[in-house]
Amino acid sequence: MFEAAELDHKVSKEEYRREEAELRRALLQAQRDLGAQKHFPVLVLIAGVEGAGKSETVHLLNEWMDPRFIQVSGFALPTEEEAAHPPMWRFWKALPPKGRIGVFFGAWQTMPILDRVLGRLGAGGFAQRQEEILRLERMLAAEGVLLVKYWFHLSKAQQKKRIKALEKDSETSWKVTRYDRALFEHYDAFIEVCEPFLRETSTGEAPWTVVPAADERYRALFVGRHLLGALRARLDAPKAKPALPTVAASPPPGQVNVIRALTLRQEMSREDYEDQLAQAQGRLARATRHRRYGKISVIAVFEGNDAAGKGGAVRRLGAALDPRAYRIVPVAAPTEEERAQPYLWRFWRHVPRPGRVTVFDRSWYGRVLVERVEGFAPEHDWRRAYGEINDFEEQLAGHGAVVAKFWLAISKDEQHRRFKEREATPFKQHKITAEDWRNREKWDAYEDAVCEMVERTSTRAAPWTLVEADNKLHARVKVIRTLADRIEAALKRKG
């Protein structure tokens, strides 16, 4: 697929001067329109062979456009902080918001390709990383990100000539590093890995564009024209209606489901509660102070019916933890900053490093619960969210996180009793709102959503624990005991 890029493409100085001024004007106008609309972000991936003018092209784009609204991020070997998180974490943190352009050097494809070329990654591992990249890019595209991917290419002879020219000039010799020379020695292996990779990851949502890079003027105009075309095509296109799923799932027949199958009233006396709670908290405290605990992180997700006792369970859990090593992330309606990013962005940025606990009071499951039932998310968005959530949690677990998810379930009658108690208790009145009462009218719709959520997202890597919560005492003990079980099992695997 590199044959056309290796041809002798050239642009004269006169042609370059004639076109540059108009191209700059048009690019700047497209950037202004992007910022005014704020309908989508633009992410430009810069990749390719060494010495192909990648940095020079990005410098030129900064010169032609307004650099205040272009966010350039370079990704070399992971820092200590980055290595403490899943590999995709550092890319999520750097995503541009709607209305802005982000440029990534050394994005998610760089390390897998290098590891494969240098023999540090086998064929199976490389195929797995490639599939992860495809899923990520499909998800970003579905969230509205305009992905523009450039592969700057030189033939082996062109690259050798380019390196020699840079080394010969005292003003540019610094650009050629020992690393560049070492990679040149692997040119053939590099192309052998990259060519099929580009074919497999060039999709309708995010195609690769191969840039002939031997002539700097041709290269600059090529990228400028292409980027302008991509921007204008999205900016000027009428807003398309999203495609609906071809097969809509329906609730199973009958009256039995995973929630109704629970015995929501579990007996536990106050005396038994005090004893069992102390034992469970002790186990949790010891587990999170174990010498191997620094090799894992813990992510505890709390969902459930309104007034199911999530807050009380979280407080008892926190009492067993070192307050310096855990944090609670309450999740409400997204802020303006969060709405400007892909859905999972606001959760990725709270992923803890090893040795830490993060508790999510509500979570990413809002997409398939509240947003589904209340109609805040189109059907095609919440349906694709199941796969995206599973992928997210699999990445967390694959990096050593214990992902513990709790659904606290109460009966409709018990919820009504607790609502009335809150209204009658002055220091609890802030917990009950008209919205809580209104949500009861959609009890069955929420139950259907919960059952499908559990069915589609309870995995070996991140299973759901259904907690019978009509008796708060039982629920608290079950939550803490389950979390202790999960952490202790993870510690044994690290032994």
Side-chain angles (χ1 to χ4, degrees):
M1 65 186 298
F2 297 131
E3 288 83 358
E6 293 179 0
L7 298 176
D8 192 23
H9 300 280
K10 289 186 180 297
V11 168
S12 67
K13 289 182 180 179
E14 293 74 17
E15 183 182 352
Y16 182 81
R17 291 195 191 101
R18 282 197 307 270
E19 187 165 345
E20 181 189 18
E22 175 56 24
L23 185 56
R24 293 179 67 167
R25 184 206 64 76
L27 279 168
L28 194 55
Q29 184 59 53
Q31 186 184 23
R32 288 173 180 151
D33 293 344
L34 175 71
Q37 290 184 10
K38 292 185 178 178
H39 289 166
F40 62 93
V42 179
L43 182 57
V44 180
L45 303 190
I46 302 293
V49 302
E50 296 303 313
K54 298 187 290 291
S55 296
E56 292 91 332
T57 304
V58 173
H59 282 311
L60 198 59
L61 290 176
N62 272 324
E63 182 181 329
W64 286 355
M65 304 167 78
D66 190 335
R68 295 174 299 170
F69 305 108
I70 298 178
Q71 180 179 315
V72 179
S73 302
F75 302 96
L77 292 175
T79 64
E80 182 182 353
E81 176 69 8
E82 291 168 345
H85 291 85
M88 293 298 184
W89 178 80
R90 58 178 178 161
F91 305 117
W92 274 93
K93 284 179 65 68
L95 288 178
K98 291 178 181 177
R100 296 289 185 94
I101 298 173
V103 178
F104 280 8
F105 280 98
W108 38 77
Q109 78 287 334
T110 302
M111 290 310 298
I113 287 174
L114 281 176
D115 286 344
R116 181 65 180 136
V117 170
L118 300 177
R120 298 191 295 247
L121 187 63
F126 186 66
Q128 182 179 345
R129 295 298 298 277
Q130 183 172 285
E131 182 57 35
E132 290 172 359
I133 289 168
L134 282 168
R135 291 199 299 268
L136 172 65
E137 292 182 353
R138 279 195 295 264
M139 187 275 298
L140 292 176
E143 288 285 322
V145 177
L146 175 58
L147 268 169
V148 186
K149 305 189 304 190
Y150 292 120
W151 184 271
F152 288 69
H153 185 73
L154 294 171
S155 69
K156 191 172 185 179
Q158 289 169 339
Q159 187 183 37
K160 185 176 182 179
K161 181 179 178 182
R162 168 81 169 164
I163 290 174
K164 284 187 175 181
L166 289 172
E167 288 178 325
K168 188 176 180 181
D169 189 334
S170 60
E171 294 185 1
T172 59
S173 59
W174 59 271
K175 294 183 179 182
V176 182
T177 66
R178 185 181 303 172
Y179 179 73
D180 297 326
R181 296 187 191 94
L183 283 182
F184 177 71
E185 297 301 320
H186 292 279
Y187 181 92
D188 293 332
F190 189 74
I191 296 301
E192 186 177 346
V193 169
C194 293
E195 191 169 16
F197 174 84
L198 262 64
R199 284 199 303 268
E200 293 297 323
T201 59
S202 190
T203 62
E205 305 95 340
W208 280 103
T209 297
V210 179
V211 180
D215 182 81
E216 62 182 33
R217 290 188 292 270
Y218 182 89
R219 179 185 67 216
L221 293 183
F222 182 99
V223 172
R225 290 168 183 159
H226 184 274
L227 181 59
L228 175 63
L231 286 167
R232 289 266 52 116
R234 176 69 72 87
L235 289 165
D236 300 337
K239 193 168 183 180
K241 291 184 179 179
L244 295 177
T246 55
V247 178
S250 58
Q255 298 299 312
V256 178
N257 58 43
V258 293
I259 299 300
R260 295 180 187 179
L262 297 173
T263 302
L264 297 177
R265 171 61 62 178
Q266 297 286 328
E267 297 304 321
M268 179 174 285
S269 68
R270 173 65 65 171
E271 183 179 359
D272 287 343
Y273 165 70
E274 297 291 351
D275 182 52
Q276 293 185 39
L277 178 67
Q279 290 182 27
Q281 287 177 325
R283 285 178 57 204
L284 184 59
R286 288 189 295 274
T288 55
R289 289 161 174 80
H290 194 279
R291 58 185 176 82
R292 289 195 293 270
Y293 178 67
K295 297 180 180 180
I296 66 173
S297 59
V298 178
I299 297 169
V301 175
F302 284 84
E303 297 280 0
N305 300 113
D306 293 333
K310 295 182 293 298
V314 169
R315 285 195 296 275
R316 273 69 181 185
L317 184 155
L321 301 174
D322 183 340
R324 297 165 297 182
Y326 86 97
R327 61 179 303 209
I328 299 171
V329 179
V331 176
T335 64
E336 183 177 347
E337 179 190 22
E338 291 166 343
R339 284 194 298 271
Q341 295 282 0
Y343 178 71
L344 288 174
W345 175 84
R346 62 174 172 153
F347 306 110
W348 266 104
R349 64 179 179 161
H350 294 302
V351 170
R353 62 181 297 142
R356 299 289 188 271
V357 177
T358 296
V359 176
F360 286 94
D361 185 354
R362 302 293 189 185
S363 69
W364 42 93
Y365 284 97
R367 173 59 52 102
V368 297
L369 293 173
V370 175
E371 293 188 24
R372 166 185 172 166
V373 174
E374 303 297 337
F376 297 149
E379 185 177 349
H380 72 287
D381 280 350
W382 62 257
R383 286 204 180 280
R384 66 178 169 82
Y386 294 121
E388 294 167 2
I389 287 169
N390 286 337
D391 191 39
F392 172 45
E393 293 175 351
E394 187 176 320
Q395 290 183 59
L396 299 178
H399 197 70
V402 172
V403 183
K405 304 181 304 192
F406 299 98
W407 177 265
L408 275 66
I410 56 174
S411 66
K412 200 171 184 179
D413 289 344
E414 176 63 17
Q415 186 188 65
H416 184 270
R417 187 193 69 77
R418 293 184 187 183
F419 278 9
K420 299 300 286 185
E421 180 185 54
R422 287 179 175 185
E423 286 184 330
T425 307
F427 63 84
K428 291 185 177 181
Q429 288 172 352
H430 68 282
K431 294 184 176 183
I432 185 72
T433 67
E435 187 75 6
D436 296 322
W437 285 108
R438 189 190 66 80
N439 286 342
R440 280 176 58 82
E441 299 173 8
K442 298 185 178 182
W443 183 276
D444 291 341
Y446 273 104
E447 187 176 271
D448 289 342
V450 171
C451 291
E452 188 169 2
M453 173 193 77
V454 172
E455 175 69 22
R456 292 179 178 270
T457 62
S458 192
T459 64
R460 290 180 62 86
W464 277 102
T465 297
L466 304 180
V467 181
E468 307 88 341
D470 271 11
N471 184 329
K472 292 182 180 180
L473 307 183
H474 162 82
R476 293 166 186 170
V477 171
K478 182 171 180 176
V479 164
I480 298 172
R481 185 180 289 155
T482 300
L483 187 58
D485 288 343
R486 294 287 310 280
I487 296 174
E488 288 169 356
L491 292 173
K492 286 182 181 178
R493 291 193 297 270
K494 293 294 181 181

